[in-house]
Amino acid sequence: MNRAGFLALIFFGLLAFVNAIRHPFVHDDVIFILNNPHIAGLGSWVEAFKVPAASNGINTYYRPVLEILYRLEYHFFGFHPFAYHLFNIIVHIINGLLLFGLLKKLGFAQQVAWVIACIFLVHPVQTEAVDCISGISNLWMALGILLALHAYLNKWYTASLLCFAMAFLSKEQAVMYVPLVIVIDHSRGKYNFRSWLGVGASAFILLWLRQQVTGSSLFKDIMLSPGELCLRLSAIPRDIGMDLRLIFFPYDLHYYRNTDILQANGVSWVLALISIGGIFYVLHRWPQGRWALVLGLGWFLATMFPVLNIAPLINEYSFILTSEHFLYLPIVGILIVVVWTADHYLKQCRILLLSVVVGSCLILTWYQNTFWSSEIVLFERMLRFEPEFGRGHLLLAKAYYFKGRPDLAEGHFEKAFMIMSSYAKKAANPTAKNFYLKIIKDILFDWAQDESAMGHWSRALDKYKQAAAIDGKDASLYNNMAFVYLHLGDKKNAYLSLKEALQIDPSFVQARQNLQQLGSL
């Protein structure tokens, strides 16, 4: 079955994502690829290890291997999204093949390993990692982890640590490798304490390196607000419950998935305690399946550990990030439990079950792929499930504006402004308050441009003035304000606005050219 199994996995991997291959760059792809100022610097690889990577402004990243990968992709692909999408799909398929081989090494029957790898490849929860071009961070990180595990099981410990380093320097979530190695060894009845110590020490060195470059201490980030930490910890059972539901019933997949840590968690804690009791009961009553259950649940928890918001991943106010791409590798643990159990107790109908599951996954994945065809479609779906997400309204408003629909953008700018203003009032921490004020200024700036596009000059001027009251040191504000004053027939204030812009930034070429043109009038 080896050759036929490998070819079948390749076929299903391509089939699942073939309708996403011609999609454009969207959102984070623009930030990390199109607007990445370093992407053409193919010869300055060393510099990538000395500075934080391009960031979306929320978190500071240290991902030099990923940055180098982007540069290599640009060198070969330019700005042709088709090639980037195809590369993502190829890496995803390679991960599926590596998983197939890894599961066989861990003692699973060939047909069980193949089914797990196949569902891993076609499951709709993988669309966020595969369809988003910048999702290569998840795919490349997983590639490093799977290669490291293969090397570890072959006792190539140096190669294992190098692959782990590659994964970590592609995405910090790769720290999952430390508990994952312990879980795998435990399931095999092996206790390689020296190897565990080496893996742990490597993780510590990589975290230290990240701190030296970014100036961001993981421990300080965790303990910055003890009260918020308690809220994040109390939401963990709800997060895990949601993740499990997404794996079994992925009907509401969407970008920018959040969890509100201020919501009550009592029911989720009760269900978690009942589930833990049930797991221990099954472990006691089902000795022949104990190793698969321990490996599967251990794999799931070990790979989920870095993204359970012990270290904060805050999107807005009380919203914590619970993205679907976090499940790219954790889904394997649940598949191990389910597929191994089904293979042992549903032998009579396993072919039918496999056909139904794979067919359903393919249909849902094709459907989910369509939402990555444009930013408008992507953000409209997001707001269907995250209606109170302020940044979501801002993203959709800007998408409408850039597509020439300022009329549709206006309501979303207003909603984003209202949500962020309420957050700024609630924020007790001065750093958080300033963060929201900066976002509010950006909203007002973009909203003013939208008003200008519709010819609402007085309203545009009012919004520029509100933005300037928040941050009076932004030269672009005064340059744009001059443009509005001209349309209102006020040349004097247009002149004064341009002078203010040049006083803030004497090198502002556009403002200087506008001032010269105004003088000619």
Side-chain angles (χ1 to χ4, degrees):
M1 180 184 174
N2 270 354
R3 185 176 179 182
F6 270 64
L7 291 174
L9 289 175
I10 293 170
F11 170 77
F12 280 113
L14 288 171
L15 185 62
F17 293 98
V18 67
N19 66 328
I21 205 165
R22 292 195 176 276
H23 289 170
F25 295 103
V26 295
H27 191 41
D28 276 355
D29 306 341
V30 177
I31 296 169
F32 292 111
I33 298 172
L34 293 183
N35 293 343
N36 184 346
H38 309 294
I39 199 163
L42 189 61
S44 55
W45 289 10
V46 175
E47 294 301 315
F49 288 86
K50 296 180 179 180
V51 295
S55 170
N56 63 2
I58 302 171
N59 301 302
T60 301
Y61 297 133
Y62 180 59
R63 300 174 179 178
V65 170
L66 182 64
E67 181 68 18
I68 291 169
L69 179 62
Y70 283 145
R71 296 179 191 187
L72 286 169
E73 286 187 287
Y74 173 75
H75 177 74
F76 290 106
F77 307 151
F79 288 133
H80 301 291
F82 173 89
Y84 289 86
H85 281 299
L86 180 59
F87 184 73
N88 274 25
I89 295 169
I90 290 171
V91 175
H92 179 53
I93 291 171
I94 291 171
N95 287 340
L97 298 176
L98 287 171
L99 178 62
F100 177 44
L102 180 68
L103 292 172
K104 289 196 297 179
K105 283 183 179 179
L106 291 174
F108 287 91
Q110 189 161 255
Q111 66 270 21
V112 172
W114 188 91
V115 171
I116 293 171
C118 182
I119 298 176
F120 166 83
L121 283 173
V122 303
H123 198 287
V125 84
Q126 308 291 40
T127 52
E128 187 170 284
V130 181
D131 290 349
C132 180
I133 289 172
S134 58
I136 190 64
S137 61
N138 304 284
L139 307 175
W140 202 255
M141 180 269 294
L143 177 66
I145 292 293
L146 292 169
L147 286 172
L149 289 173
H150 273 277
Y152 183 82
L153 293 178
N154 287 331
K155 298 184 179 181
W156 303 335
Y157 296 124
T158 302
S160 174
L161 293 177
L162 288 174
C163 291
F164 167 48
M166 181 194 87
F168 183 91
L169 297 175
S170 300
K171 189 168 186 176
E172 300 83 349
Q173 190 182 346
V175 75
M176 68 172 70
Y177 183 64
V178 179
L180 189 54
V181 163
I182 297 172
V183 166
I184 287 175
D185 275 347
H186 175 72
S187 72
R188 300 187 302 153
K190 298 181 181 297
Y191 298 92
N192 301 317
F193 295 106
R194 290 180 62 183
S195 298
W196 299 351
L197 184 62
V199 172
S202 299
F204 178 82
I205 291 170
L206 290 167
L207 288 168
W208 175 85
L209 177 63
R210 177 184 181 274
Q211 180 178 333
Q212 296 306 303
V213 175
T214 65
S216 176
S217 168
L218 187 61
F219 179 76
K220 287 182 180 178
D221 290 344
I222 292 172
M223 299 307 298
L224 184 64
S225 175
E228 184 187 278
L229 174 61
C230 291
L231 289 172
R232 295 199 307 270
L233 293 176
S234 66
I236 285 176
R238 182 152 50 99
D239 290 343
I240 291 177
M242 179 195 68
D243 290 332
L244 291 172
R245 200 267 299 160
L246 288 176
I247 292 171
F248 289 103
F249 304 102
Y251 59 84
D252 62 341
L253 300 176
H254 63 274
Y255 198 37
Y256 267 118
R257 180 176 290 277
N258 298 290
T259 296
D260 189 347
I261 57 176
L262 295 182
Q263 290 183 4
N265 295 294
V267 174
S268 59
W269 272 101
V270 170
L271 292 174
L273 293 173
I274 292 172
S275 299
I276 291 170
I279 290 169
F280 277 107
Y281 176 79
V282 171
L283 287 172
H284 176 70
R285 301 286 295 181
W286 191 34
Q288 68 271 28
R290 189 175 297 160
W291 75 278
L293 188 63
V294 169
L295 176 60
L297 294 179
W299 180 298
F300 177 75
L301 294 175
T303 51
M304 282 299 298
F305 173 74
V307 290
L308 287 176
N309 276 284
I310 297 169
L313 293 168
I314 304 295
N315 258 335
E316 286 176 11
Y317 196 58
S318 61
F319 287 174
I320 60 174
L321 187 64
T322 49
S323 294
E324 290 149 12
H325 65 251
F326 290 163
L327 288 170
Y328 185 75
L329 276 180
I331 191 177
V332 173
I334 302 304
L335 293 177
I336 286 173
V337 175
V338 173
V339 175
W340 193 91
T341 304
D343 183 69
H344 277 69
Y345 293 98
L346 299 172
K347 291 183 182 293
Q348 301 300 322
C349 57
R350 59 187 178 187
I351 300 298
L352 175 62
L353 278 174
L354 176 62
S355 302
V356 170
V357 170
V358 172
S360 300
C361 283
L362 283 171
I363 292 170
L364 287 171
T365 298
W366 289 333
Y367 173 69
Q368 192 62 29
N369 290 341
T370 63
F371 294 107
W372 291 86
S373 60
S374 76
E375 290 194 342
I376 289 177
V377 174
L378 183 67
F379 298 144
E380 282 179 340
R381 179 168 176 81
M382 170 182 62
L383 287 177
R384 177 183 168 191
F385 299 102
E386 306 277 351
E388 298 304 315
F389 184 43
R391 191 177 291 110
H393 285 281
L394 176 59
L395 291 171
L396 182 56
K398 292 172 73 172
Y400 279 137
Y401 171 77
F402 285 116
K403 284 296 183 181
R405 295 302 309 270
D407 53 323
L408 294 179
E410 187 171 17
H412 291 286
F413 277 124
E414 183 177 9
K415 182 71 172 178
F417 176 77
M418 291 171 60
I419 291 173
M420 291 301 182
S421 297
S422 70
Y423 289 168
K425 291 177 182 177
K426 295 175 186 176
N429 185 306
T431 303
K433 188 177 185 70
N434 289 333
F435 173 75
Y436 290 120
L437 286 175
K438 182 183 182 302
I439 293 179
I440 292 168
K441 189 209 83 171
D442 292 340
I443 292 171
L444 289 166
F445 184 91
D446 293 329
W447 195 359
Q449 289 183 305
D450 187 71
E451 297 283 17
S452 298
M454 293 188 290
H456 301 159
W457 302 111
S458 296
R459 292 197 293 195
L461 181 61
D462 178 60
K463 289 171 178 60
Y464 280 131
K465 286 182 175 179
Q466 290 183 61
I470 296 172
D471 178 11
K473 298 299 182 183
D474 186 340
S476 297
L477 275 172
Y478 293 98
N479 181 66
N480 286 23
M481 211 181 294
F483 179 76
V484 174
Y485 275 124
L486 273 177
H487 278 83
L488 291 171
D490 189 345
K491 295 180 182 178
K492 178 182 177 181
N493 275 316
Y495 173 82
L496 292 174
S497 295
L498 290 170
K499 293 289 286 185
E500 182 69 25
L502 287 170
Q503 186 174 348
I504 295 169
D505 182 6
S507 64
F508 195 171
V509 175
Q510 187 180 12
R512 189 170 301 281
Q513 291 173 345
N514 289 340
L515 187 62
Q516 290 171 351
Q517 290 175 2
L518 182 60
S520 68
L521 296 176

